[in-house]
Amino acid sequence: MFPLVATVCSAIFLAAPTKPMPQIPEFKFQKFTLANGLDVILHEDHSTPIVGVNIWYHVGSKNERPGRTGFAHLFEHMMFQGSKHYDKVYFGPIQSVGGRLNGSTAMDRTNYWETVPANYLELALWMESDRMGFLLPAMTQAKLDNQRSVVKNERRQSYENRPYGLVHETILAALYPPDHPYSWPTIGSMKDISDASREDIADFFRRYYHPANASLCIAGDFDPAEAKRLVEKYFGPIPAGPKVVHPKPWTPELKAETRIHITDRVGLARVYMVWPTPPQFTPEDAALDVLGHVLAGGKTSRLYRALVREKQIAQDVQANQDGQELTSEFAVVATIRAGHTIAEVEAAIAVEIDRIQTEPPMAEEMDRAINTFEARLVRSLESVSEFGGRADRLNLYNIYTGDPGHMAKDFGRYSCLDATTVTLMAKRFLGPKRVVVEVVPGSEVSIQPNPLVKAEAARKQMATKLPSPSERGSEGVLLPSTSEREAAGEGAGRESLPEGAAEPKFSLPPVKRATLSNGMQLLLVEKHELPVVNLHVVFPAGRVHDGQETPGLAEMTAAVWDEGTAERSAEQIASELGGMGASVSVSADWDMTSARLFSLKRHLPKALEIFADVLRKPSFPEQELHRQQINVLGRLTQIRNEPTILASLAATQLLYGYDHPYGHPPLGNPTIVKGLKSADLKRFYETHIRPEQAAVIAVGDIALDELKQQLEESLGTWKSASSAPAKPDFALPKLKPGRLVLIDKPNAAQSVIQLALVGTRRNTADFFPQNVMNMVFGGQFSSRLNMNLREQKGYTYGAHSAWDWRVNERGPFVATSSVQTAVTALALAEFLKELDGMVGAKPVEEKELEFCKKYVSRGYTAGFETPSQVATQLETLFAYKLPDDYFNTVVPGVRAVTTEDTMRVAKKYLALDRMVIIVVGDLAKIEPEMRKLPIGKDLSVLHFDGDFRLR
């Protein structure tokens, strides 16, 4: 286990602690700086044989200039397109060794990471250093044009084709002056993305992508001496670039309230209130974080209680401080329940803001906030790499504070706060000068007044005064030429990709078993790195047990389950758990229902007492059911404007039939939802939630004997209330659905394409060949489908496929993508071409097969890194009745797959005559071209009725 360290009070206006300070894990690390200015952080963790390479560049959209927005994000995409010594898409080498990789861009930084088996650390460092030092020689105009199309599709998917998608950039344009670095979104404007030249992008690289503007963290299972040698070898020769002078902190001062009215294709109205606030890591920033939690951090928070629970005028409400480097934003966001108005909700929010400005939070409100932040912080440290893991956090602190070990001081800002300070911050920053955005449903999109128009005009004028890239350096410093940078960095063993070192030994975690006196199975995997415990109680009951008369019953039962017991109200449950930083959730999927508890180890006995009360004695109060009914009805209204969900609903209905256990909408339909009673939920619970059929899955810092004793005391006497029910009829209907179905979504910026068929059972003998075949077709980034539609054609932000395994019957196989409206028919043709290739027209090559087998087999151990990952693996073990040694059969099973196996299962299971094709998009724009396709003669135009039946 990692040692614990006390948090530190440092801010001058914070109160001295009046009780023991929380202790958070202390992660030891080494930091050194190369001669070229690259900061390097090393953090060892030998619990799993994986290693993370994580690099942050201190550049984001704030470093862009008017007229050249979106460059930081566009450049992030270019960093995966190949470098001088590996001029191919970067995913290949890392995936071929079982690794994962990604990147992200924010306003203040851009990060990239790889998580690889421990013996491939050198490969990850080679790849990262080569694109840092040698990207430009491989950056062609063709690559730029392709990724420009991908980014435009990402913008369409995330902004234009998403409900409420235009709100974010509207708020930025209203909150900040047009010359403020935060006044445009990270993705940039369509025009600037279109206008970006190769020289613009190259200039951005020379200016910001160099060792002196970066922080590299290596975390995981490695030898520090060897890591230092490799870092020096590959990164040391790369020259430092020009000094980067970052914009200074700048919190805008609003002169008055700005109110904007947006009409959007949404199901429910929503209101956004935003105030400018001080930058991250300041004492004010921490106090505003706590303020957000007091206002809307859970069921006991002030806004949630007032708007959602008591007045029931809001579907949901959020309040949070978004801390950033130059300045921050505090936002309150509420979705309006049907039958109520924005004015009504806004008035109720005003009452609570006025109250927090005069009534300091109570002690229990402060405790809940601090304990929740502590638990959230500890949980984020479970992974060594990837987004939000330890390597990411060490780089975050190093880039913004210069100290990778700043975590104790950071958390100290919270643990030392007093309630008076929180009220002071509410008075100081949540005044009448703010930006308010009202979003209301409508068939057309409009923004009145539109701050984007004014901001774009101002930035266009500013852009005309900027020098071209060739005419300027960086703050007066001449940028090095590409040839100078290459010459300085050559000679570091870049002739070929490094081979892997000796394969590390790793034994998958032993599953310890026991049985409680009531028959509940207990499966435990001990993980002692962090002081946390995860408990999942899994029942073999789900949506398939709804019954034809009450679709949505399982989902509703799960939603109301933790909203009250015979001894505790919903607020008491939330308050007691929140006071410990613990959490309980209940969810239902098609075949299983899972109740989950997360707790810090020191709080487990009390948390388990509450968890057992929720499990054993739910009361399903009528008032809580009524509130959830309104929530679900609101969500069903929203779904009608979400094309991806509509495509999935259509596919499952066409494959299984509306009345089949796998065919009805997961949430049910409005008619049934309105009529549900508490007695219906109790009946489902008493009939299907049976402890003798359940398993307790535990992962964390606890031994078997200790846990079993606690579970016997809390759950051991729990018995089923009724006899076991008959099994539902899962027989698949003989349907002959239309081959091609179009669902109209007028004015959609993209079309959602989904191809689906009824697949196979999870326990099929072809399980491993099917999984490998899917990896070839669409199951990972380098798959045929994604490389075609995204990397070659630029039609989409991403395309993928998957087997959706089910417990009781054959689940669907689905391939899907969101594509630009103008290329819908062309994209569908490419889907069909790839399918045709998969079943024989383009046989799987041995090299292609080996790549996918290595990706799966070498990366398998990474799926056992965190407690939540291990718990999910154990849920699969229980749900499908797999043997305890199953985990040890996966790698041999995958490695045994042949090209003949792959082609055989593709021909056997991907039968085109059993496939339905759903397209959700703008009928007027896409139907004519779709009818010209060879399958166009089978096209049917359908719509959903009020109960989500296709007509």
Side-chain angles (χ1 to χ4, degrees), residues 171-185:
I171 289 174
L172 295 180
L175 192 65
Y176 299 103
D179 58 341
H180 193 287
Y182 288 170
S183 65
W184 52 83

Side-chain angles (χ1 to χ4, degrees), residues 1-213:
M1 179 184 290
F2 295 102
L4 300 178
V5 60
T7 52
V8 180
C9 286
S10 58
I12 57 173
F13 70 77
L14 299 181
T18 58
K19 54 186 176 181
M21 299 293 292
Q23 291 186 319
I24 57 175
E26 179 185 24
F27 297 108
K28 294 182 179 180
F29 63 88
Q30 303 177 45
K31 177 184 174 182
F32 60 95
T33 303
L34 300 184
N36 58 13
L38 177 67
D39 282 347
V40 183
I41 306 160
L42 305 180
H43 164 62
E44 295 178 67
D45 178 355
H46 302 284
S47 60
T48 307
I50 60 174
V51 62
V53 171
N54 187 301
I55 190 163
W56 277 42
Y57 292 93
H58 197 177
V59 57
S61 58
K62 78 171 189 301
N63 300 95
E64 297 162 355
R65 296 167 181 255
R68 296 187 175 94
T69 66
F71 279 24
H73 176 251
L74 178 58
F75 196 82
E76 176 212 322
H77 280 247
M78 297 305 301
M79 285 282 278
F80 290 92
Q81 297 307 301
S83 53
K84 179 179 179 180
H85 303 99
Y86 186 79
D87 193 8
K88 300 177 184 178
V89 176
Y90 249 50
F91 283 79
I94 298 298
Q95 286 189 308
S96 71
V97 303
R100 300 186 300 274
L101 67 162
N102 211 330
S104 68
T105 309
M107 288 183 167
D108 302 313
R109 60 93 186 120
T110 307
N111 74 335
Y112 304 88
W113 55 261
E114 297 84 19
T115 303
V116 295
N119 55 322
Y120 285 98
L121 170 61
E122 184 173 6
L123 173 66
L125 293 173
W126 189 100
M127 300 290 287
E128 277 297 352
S129 62
D130 207 63
R131 60 182 174 184
M132 176 188 278
F134 306 95
L135 185 86
L136 293 186
M139 192 175 74
T140 65
Q141 186 65 45
K143 290 180 182 179
L144 175 60
D145 291 342
N146 172 266
Q147 289 306 301
R148 193 198 322 266
S149 295
V150 171
V151 170
K152 286 182 176 180
N153 277 308
E154 181 181 359
R155 181 184 164 89
R156 293 184 187 101
Q157 184 172 322
S158 301
Y159 288 73
E160 281 89 358
N161 209 41
R162 175 174 293 178
Y164 314 102
L166 297 177
V167 172
H168 173 61
E169 64 177 337
T170 302
I171 289 174
L172 295 180
L175 192 65
Y176 299 103
D179 58 341
H180 193 287
Y182 288 170
S183 65
W184 52 83
T186 300
I187 203 164
S189 73
M190 280 289 197
K191 183 181 186 306
D192 290 352
I193 296 169
S194 298
D195 291 346
S197 69
R198 185 190 179 283
E199 182 54 34
D200 285 329
I201 303 302
D203 172 74
F204 196 88
F205 174 77
R206 298 187 194 101
R207 189 178 304 279
Y208 298 113
Y209 275 75
H210 55 78
N213 197 44

Side-chain angles (χ1 to χ4, degrees), residues 612-759:
D613 187 36
V614 171
L615 285 173
R616 300 182 62 170
K617 302 176 184 178
S619 57
F620 301 106
E622 285 286 0
Q623 68 272 22
E624 300 295 346
L625 169 60
H626 177 67
R627 187 173 57 80
Q628 287 295 338
Q629 285 172 308
I630 296 174
N631 275 349
V632 172
L633 291 171
R635 183 70 191 115
L636 290 173
T637 300
Q638 292 176 306
I639 283 172
R640 293 187 182 277
N641 291 284
E642 298 180 19
T644 301
I645 296 179
L646 293 177
S648 295
L649 290 175
T652 54
Q653 194 172 144
L654 290 169
L655 291 177
Y656 295 99
Y658 187 89
D659 295 321
H660 188 272
Y662 285 151
H664 65 264
L667 292 176
N669 64 58
T671 301
I672 298 301
V673 169
K674 291 174 184 176
L676 289 175
K677 304 296 183 184
S678 176
D680 297 317
L681 279 58
K682 291 176 181 178
R683 173 176 50 81
F684 184 93
Y685 171 84
E686 292 172 357
T687 304
H688 300 292
I689 303 304
R690 313 185 65 80
E692 75 276 9
Q693 296 179 352
V696 180
I697 292 169
V699 183
D701 184 24
I702 194 165
L704 180 64
D705 290 344
E706 178 185 2
L707 178 60
K708 184 181 178 184
Q709 180 181 347
Q710 293 187 40
L711 290 173
E712 282 287 5
E713 294 172 357
S714 57
L715 298 176
T717 60
W718 182 19
K719 305 289 185 181
S720 295
S722 63
S723 57
K727 190 175 182 180
D729 180 10
F730 295 109
L732 296 178
K734 295 182 179 180
L735 298 177
K736 293 183 178 180
R739 178 84 182 281
L740 176 59
V741 171
L742 174 57
I743 298 173
D744 189 19
K745 189 175 186 294
N747 301 310
Q750 286 185 312
S751 299
V752 174
I753 298 175
Q754 189 165 122
L755 288 72
L757 53 76
V758 176

Side-chain angles (χ1 to χ4, degrees), residues 298-570:
K299 296 175 184 177
T300 57
S301 63
R302 297 187 178 191
L303 284 174
Y304 190 91
R305 179 188 288 131
L307 276 66
V308 180
R309 299 189 64 83
E310 295 177 356
K311 294 182 173 65
Q312 298 190 20
I313 58 176
Q315 182 88 353
D316 53 61
V317 63
Q318 304 165 36
N320 68 284
Q321 163 80 348
D322 183 11
Q324 299 173 111
E325 190 174 16
L326 304 186
T327 186
S328 303
E329 301 162 16
F330 189 93
V332 175
V333 183
T335 306
I336 318 303
R337 274 189 172 167
H340 297 276
T341 65
I342 287 177
E344 188 180 0
V345 171
E346 195 174 333
I349 292 172
V351 169
E352 292 303 323
I353 290 178
D354 288 344
R355 187 161 75 91
I356 196 68
Q357 292 175 338
T358 56
E359 297 179 19
M362 295 182 292
E364 54 265 35
E365 290 179 297
M366 296 293 293
D367 288 344
R368 281 197 297 269
I370 303 307
N371 288 327
T372 298
F373 291 160
E374 178 192 4
R376 190 180 299 164
L377 173 63
V378 172
R379 197 166 195 178
S380 73
L381 301 173
E382 291 177 347
S383 174
V384 297
S385 185
E386 307 189 9
F387 295 127
R390 276 174 253 157
D392 219 31
R393 187 168 289 273
L394 289 167
N395 268 337
L396 177 148
Y397 288 134
N398 190 53
I399 284 288
Y400 295 136
T401 74
D403 176 16
H406 188 73
M407 187 164 61
K409 292 180 181 178
D410 182 20
F411 192 73
R413 297 180 304 142
Y414 299 91
S415 55
C416 302
L417 274 171
D418 64 17
T420 304
T421 302
V422 175
T423 291
L424 177 64
M425 295 301 101
K427 284 183 180 179
R428 182 174 169 187
F429 295 108
L430 270 58
K433 298 176 182 179
R434 60 187 181 177
V435 172
V436 179
V437 176
E438 306 170 350
V439 185
V440 298
S443 58
E444 300 289 338
V445 176
S446 68
I447 305 174
Q448 298 295 333
N450 192 342
L452 296 169
V453 174
K454 183 177 179 181
E456 284 298 322
R459 284 196 286 268
K460 183 177 180 181
Q461 187 175 10
M462 287 185 278
T464 61
K465 302 176 182 178
L466 293 175
S468 67
S470 61
E471 295 172 330
R472 68 176 192 271
S474 180
E475 307 300 334
V477 179
L478 183 65
L479 296 178
S481 68
T482 302
S483 58
E484 292 172 335
R485 184 163 174 170
E486 287 181 50
E490 284 285 12
R494 300 191 181 277
E495 297 79 14
S496 61
L497 295 175
E499 298 290 333
E503 189 168 334
K505 295 181 179 180
F506 176 65
S507 298
L508 293 170
V511 180
K512 299 181 179 181
R513 282 185 176 266
T515 302
L516 303 187
S517 55
N518 63 352
M520 294 183 80
Q521 299 178 48
L522 170 59
L523 290 76
L524 169 68
V525 169
E526 296 183 30
K527 285 184 73 70
H528 299 286
E529 292 83 13
L530 289 168
V532 300
V533 177
N534 293 262
L535 288 182
H536 296 191
V537 182
V538 186
F539 304 89
R543 300 172 196 147
V544 294
H545 298 92
D546 283 346
Q548 289 188 11
E549 303 302 319
T550 51
L553 180 57
E555 290 276 358
M556 187 64 74
T557 302
V560 185
W561 190 336
D562 62 347
E563 296 288 350
T565 72
E567 300 176 3
R568 293 176 170 90
S569 69

